[in-house]
Structures are given as C-alpha cells and as structure tokens.
C-alpha cells in the first residue's frame, strides 16, 4: 500500500519554510554573482575561445564535481575539454595538460592544497589559469592569470559549512561561461546532434537520412512494371518494408504501393497481377526529405495513419524509405 500523506502540522510548515529558504539563498547567491561579471569574465571567455588545445577543468571535493559537469558541458557543445583530478595530477595525470591548453580551476576558498600544488607546474608548462573562486585574495587567485570572483557567499546550511549556495554560484558561472562561448561560435543543431546520438536529446535532433532505408533496402519499382513485380520487390527487399516506391525511368517518385493497397485489391476481387503497378498505386503520396527531423516525420505518420513515408531529394527522386519499424527500433513510438 502507498504510504499515507504526512499531516501538515506546524512542524511540517516550518520544514517547508526552511527548504524554501535554502532555494532562496542559492538563488540570491547566483543573482549576486551577476553584478561581478566584467572584464575578467571577458578575458576568461577570450582565453577559452582562442584555446588551441583543450580546456582542462580541475577542482577538489564539491567544486570538483561542479568542474566535472562544466567540462562535460563544454565537451557536449563542441569544445575539447577534460577534467583533471588535482590529487591524481601529481601522480601522472598532469600528462593530460599540454601546450595551448587553458586551465579552469574551481575552489570556493581558493586555498585547496591539492590545487595550489599544481599552480607552479601549470606556470612551468606555460598554460594560463582561470580561477573560479570566492576569495579574490586567496593563493589560488594570486597565482592565476584571470580571476572570476563569486564573492563571499553564506552557505544555505544550518551549520554554515556545507557547500551549497557557493557551489550553486560556481555552477552558474561555469554555465554562463560555457553558454556565452557557445553563443560566440559557429555551432548549430546539426553539430549538437552529432555529439548527442543517444537518448531523448539525440532523438530530438535526429534527421531522416540517419534512419531511412537506402540502397538494396529501398524498395523501388518502375511505373511500367507489373503489379506482380511490385509484390516481389515488397517481399524480397531486405527488412520487408511492406511497400514499394513507384518511380519513373529517372527515379522520380510517382506513387507508392503498400500491403494495405494489396489487401484492398484482393477484398474487391481484383485478381489481375499483370496490370501496370501505376494503375493501382497510391498517387501523389505524402513524402519527406532526408533533412526532415525524424520527430516531424513520426508526427506525419501518426496523423496520416501510414506505416511508410517515401524520402525524396530536391529533384523529387526517391532516395529512401522511412518505415514505422525503424521508428519503433529507435524508440520514437
């Protein structure tokens, strides 16, 4: 049985009030940083945008987790980036860093020992360091080339110790840097799709040409062929699409003949399989282009209640077929 809903008493209301206060404290911390963005942010943006190597993000503890997310965000938007664990760096992982790289070092206190140990090594390697910190007078800030100062932030914690509001601010500044960088670069939906082939994100930007059946799997029959030939093509085409695209001698789409059309002919007593397929095909079928979003094509299939959509190029040639089986396999239905 489902657990009973807790009774809303005075203690419950106080709990909710406190929880809302945590969110408000983190929101204030993020909004407070907006006033601090200035020339240092522009300098950091320039360093990252002009980076000839990769953006190396580093940090310990909670700041390190925020750093891993920042590195992942950069990579997902086409910026070469890796996360460098400061403790592992001094045991060989420093080899991840090379000429042309830029370091993004995250530490709210600016006194993280493992990070400070790396500063002279970064200096020796000639790579610039951008510090994201809450203390502009810290050793990290003094050893960095650029400082993004989030300021002193009161944590949203009853002890005043657990990194909460400060990590929210670090996270937000990292996102601001990554998204401003994205805005300044030629990176579009197709580029994003290339880097996100899996999951819901990948499906949302997938194009028809990535799923459609082509070559031997594209069931084509010329319009002068007999109906019996069209049925053979439908049966013998790999994947058995249950349809044949009818084309003229130049390969341009003229119509489509499907299993449903065949069943309806049989129900009406039609037994002449020697007639040209153009006489019994569906004329002027709805079709799509290779660049159509698969989500759009799937919506058309649902609306039209069809299992196949011919795919044509700009000259009207039947270059592929999108089958409902392909959409099911890709989890669009």
């Amino acid at each position: 049985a489902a657990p009973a809903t807790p009774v809303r008493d005075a203690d419950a209301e106080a709990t909710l009030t406190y929880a809302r206060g945590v969110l408000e404290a983190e929101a204030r911390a993020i909004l407070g940083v907006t006033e601090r963005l200035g020339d240092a942010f522009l300098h950091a943006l320039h360093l990252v945008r002009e980076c000839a190597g990769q953006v190396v993000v580093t940090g310990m503890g909670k700041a390190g987790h925020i750093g891993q997310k920042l590195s992942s965000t950069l990579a997902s938007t086409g910026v070469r980036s890796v996360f460098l664990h400061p403790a592992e760096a001094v045991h060989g992982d420093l080899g991840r860093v090379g000429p042309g790289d830029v370091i993004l070092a995250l530490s709210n206190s600016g006194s993280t020992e493992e990070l400070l140990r790396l500063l002279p090594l970064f200096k020796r390697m000639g790579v610039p360091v951008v510090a994201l910190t809450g203390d502009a007078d810290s050793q990290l800030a003094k050893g960095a080339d650029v400082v993004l100062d989030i300021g002193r932030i009161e944590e949203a914690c009853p002890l005043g110790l657990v990194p909460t509001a400060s990590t929210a601010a670090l996270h937000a500044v990292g996102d601001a840097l990554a998204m401003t960088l994205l805005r300044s670069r030629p990176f579009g939906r197709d580029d994003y799709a290339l880097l996100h082939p899996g999951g819901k994100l990948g499906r949302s930007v997938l194009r028809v040409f990535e799923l459609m059946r082509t070559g031997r799997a594209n069931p084509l029959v010329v319009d002068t062929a007999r109906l019996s030939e069209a049925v053979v093509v439908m049966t013998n085409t790999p994947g058995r699409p249950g349809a044949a695209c009818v084309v003229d001698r130049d390969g341009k789409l003229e119509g489509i003949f499907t299993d449903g059309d065949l069943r309806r002919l049989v129900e009406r007593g039609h037994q002449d399989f020697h007639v040209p397929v153009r006489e019994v095909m569906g004329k002027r079928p709805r079709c799509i282009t290779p660049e159509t979003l698969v989500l759009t094509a799937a919506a058309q299939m649902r609306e039209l209640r069809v299992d196949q959509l011919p795919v044509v190029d700009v000259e009207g040639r039947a270059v592929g077929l999108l089958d409902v089986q392909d959409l099911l396999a890709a989890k669009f239905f």
Side-chain angles (χ1 to χ4, degrees), residues 16-212:
L16 291 175
T17 298
Y18 183 81
R20 295 183 185 112
V22 171
L23 297 178
E24 290 167 358
E26 296 196 355
R28 284 195 302 272
I30 293 173
L31 291 175
V33 180
T34 62
E35 304 300 323
R36 293 178 170 272
L37 297 186
D39 290 343
F41 184 86
L42 296 175
H43 189 182
L45 178 64
H46 174 76
L47 285 175
V48 175
R49 185 172 53 217
E50 301 302 319
C51 175
Q54 58 187 355
V55 179
V56 180
V57 187
T58 185
M60 281 293 292
K62 305 298 187 294
H65 293 307
I66 298 299
Q68 290 183 56
K69 193 273 181 185
L70 173 56
S71 179
S72 176
T73 298
L74 290 169
S76 75
T77 53
V79 178
R80 290 177 55 211
S81 179
V82 295
F83 178 78
L84 176 68
H85 194 289
E88 299 292 344
V90 295
H91 293 283
D93 277 11
L94 196 59
R96 298 177 189 270
V97 183
D101 290 350
V102 173
I103 306 295
L104 297 183
L106 283 67
S107 170
N108 182 43
S109 69
S111 59
T112 305
E113 187 176 317
E114 293 87 349
L115 270 184
L116 298 180
R117 199 186 321 173
L118 297 178
L119 287 179
L121 301 174
F122 291 147
K123 190 75 68 177
R124 193 183 309 166
M125 299 173 76
V127 291
V129 175
V130 177
L132 282 71
T133 181
D135 187 352
D137 295 320
S138 64
Q139 286 182 267
L140 176 62
K142 291 176 180 177
D145 298 277
V146 181
V147 179
L148 298 182
D149 177 22
I150 66 172
R152 302 278 186 175
I153 294 176
E154 183 179 347
E155 302 293 2
C157 158
L159 303 175
L161 300 173
V162 179
T164 46
S166 64
T167 51
L170 283 175
H171 191 171
V173 172
D175 279 348
L177 185 63
M179 293 302 100
T180 308
L181 178 63
L182 175 60
R183 177 178 176 270
S184 69
R185 294 167 46 246
F187 188 89
R189 291 178 62 93
D190 289 342
D191 302 299
Y192 192 73
L194 181 64
L195 301 179
H196 296 77
K200 185 177 180 180
L201 281 177
R203 289 194 296 274
S204 70
V205 290
L206 200 65
R207 304 283 177 170
V208 165
F209 71 84
E210 298 176 76
L211 279 188
M212 70 183 191

Side-chain angles (χ1 to χ4, degrees), residues 9 15 167 231 263:
D9 55 16
T15 298
T167 51
V231 174
R263 287 195 298 272

